[in-house]
Amino acid sequence: MLSDSPAITSVKPFGDAGITDPRFGHIITLTTGALIELQWVRTSPSSGDEHDEVPVTGDPPVPVTLPELPSSGRASIRLIEQHLAALIVNGGNPEIRAVERKSTRAEAGLRPCCVIVRMHSGADIFGVFRSLAPAGASLGGGGFQQGEEV
């Protein structure tokens, strides 16, 4: 669903990019040439992880307008966060209950941007911006540093 954007030219799983630790994440390339290393971290539902996972479904979130990202130049990290959250919402996955953006919280902290996917099972999945690189630069390999734009 992340590749369902005209502003994204490629989405590569960490494994395909040679990243084995952590295992879950994507390298996203924007049409501007900027790179985003997005790590996925999951919390367990209140019932824990002791049992085989059984998908819990319900009504997916109501679709939202996909905010447009610039096709050249730099983009705000908050706009990228909003764009990725909208892509996930608009995917219509019945396992997803809601999608939130950490930057909209009153107390967003030092790393204010993160996509939070709330599942019907009670689990939460966090899409954390691990590394960002503007067009022509290389990803820094983590560090969770967030600038204002990329």
Side-chain angles (χ1 to χ4, degrees):
M1 73 184 69
L2 294 178
S3 59
D4 292 340
S5 166
I8 295 175
T9 59
S10 75
V11 178
K12 189 183 297 187
F14 275 5
D16 291 354
I19 301 170
T20 57
D21 185 29
R23 291 181 23 203
F24 302 106
H26 292 96
I27 304 295
I28 300 167
T29 305
L30 301 179
T31 56
T32 62
L35 299 171
I36 301 164
E37 189 176 5
L38 191 69
Q39 179 179 338
W40 297 104
V41 180
R42 183 181 67 90
T43 64
S44 297
S46 57
S47 62
D49 279 338
E50 297 176 12
H51 310 288
D52 290 337
E53 184 176 348
V54 177
V56 177
T57 60
D59 291 333
V62 175
V64 297
T65 301
L66 182 65
E68 191 173 323
L69 293 180
S71 58
S72 63
R74 297 174 72 85
S76 152
I77 187 68
R78 291 174 192 267
L79 181 59
I80 294 168
E81 174 199 45
Q82 183 181 12
H83 188 86
L84 296 176
L87 285 170
I88 295 168
V89 164
N90 294 347
N93 186 324
E95 291 182 58
I96 297 174
R97 179 175 49 83
V99 179
E100 298 174 20
R101 295 177 17 239
K102 185 180 175 207
S103 68
T104 63
R105 294 179 176 176
E107 297 293 326
L110 294 174
R111 294 174 193 91
C113 293
C114 173
V115 177
I116 305 165
V117 182
R118 308 255 185 222
M119 308 302 285
H120 282 289
S121 69
D124 291 328
I125 301 170
F126 296 85
V128 183
F129 292 90
R130 188 168 184 249
S131 183
L132 306 165
S138 299
L139 288 168
F144 301 100
Q145 300 302 312
Q146 291 185 9
E148 289 294 315
E149 58 184 22
V150 64

